[in-house]
Amino acid sequence: MNAIRQAKTAYGPGANSIKTPRGAEYETLARVTMHLKNAQDRGPEGFAELVAALHDNRRLWTILASDVADHNNPLPPQLRARIVYLAEFTQLHSQAVLNRTANADPLIEINSTVMSGLRNRGAAL
């Protein structure tokens, strides 16, 4: 009986599913993007939350750029170059948002476009 209970716990509803790298990237982008959008939608009262969301987004793009900089990365060189460019843009535009001279809309749009590419298994960059 104990084995059946363990199997239900391990494989039943609510059990952790196995995530593909693409799925994990999508989920991370979705979480960070939602955080950016929610913080921005709060207006001036959400600035502290926006700062935290920008930090998370910058960290994510730094990781993505580091990953594609590895010469063993299997993505095509042109796609890898685009990801590096987007990471650089993200860093610069985030600073403008922090300086209150821009909003986070372009960052949200970039993340959403990449998520669409991941979901459709295409290279949307």
Side-chain angles (χ1 to χ4, degrees), residues 19-61:
K19 294 180 183 151
T20 64
R22 182 182 297 270
E25 288 172 349
Y26 181 92
E27 285 183 22
T28 302
L29 275 162
R31 187 175 55 253
V32 168
T33 303
M34 186 57 67
H35 192 196
L36 279 170
K37 183 165 177 25
N38 289 342
Q40 178 168 267
D41 287 349
R42 290 188 56 216
E45 297 81 31
F47 189 71
E49 184 181 345
L50 182 59
V51 170
L54 288 167
H55 174 73
D56 291 345
N57 195 53
R58 286 171 123 175
R59 283 181 35 206
L60 172 61
W61 279 97

Side-chain angles (χ1 to χ4, degrees), residues 7-124:
K8 285 182 180 178
T9 302
Y11 300 107
N16 290 337
S17 62
I18 298 173
K19 294 180 183 151
T20 64
R22 182 182 297 270
E25 288 172 349
Y26 181 92
E27 285 183 22
T28 302
L29 275 162
R31 187 175 55 253
V32 168
T33 303
M34 186 57 67
H35 192 196
L36 279 170
K37 183 165 177 25
N38 289 342
Q40 178 168 267
D41 287 349
R42 290 188 56 216
E45 297 81 31
F47 189 71
E49 184 181 345
L50 182 59
V51 170
L54 288 167
H55 174 73
D56 291 345
N57 195 53
R58 286 171 123 175
R59 283 181 35 206
L60 172 61
W61 279 97
T62 297
I63 291 167
L64 292 172
S66 296
D67 186 48
V68 298
D70 182 349
H71 70 279
N72 292 321
N73 187 294
L75 293 175
Q78 186 178 17
L79 180 56
R80 292 168 55 189
R82 288 179 182 166
I83 292 170
V84 169
Y85 168 79
L86 290 173
E88 290 173 358
F89 175 85
T90 297
Q91 296 296 329
L92 293 172
H93 193 79
S94 294
Q95 189 59 51
V97 176
L98 290 170
N99 291 337
R100 299 180 188 217
T101 59
N103 65 36
D105 287 342
L107 302 173
I108 294 166
E109 184 176 335
I110 288 168
N111 288 5
S112 297
T113 301
V114 173
M115 288 166 50
S116 177
L118 289 169
R119 184 177 52 241
N120 297 325
R121 303 224 184 260

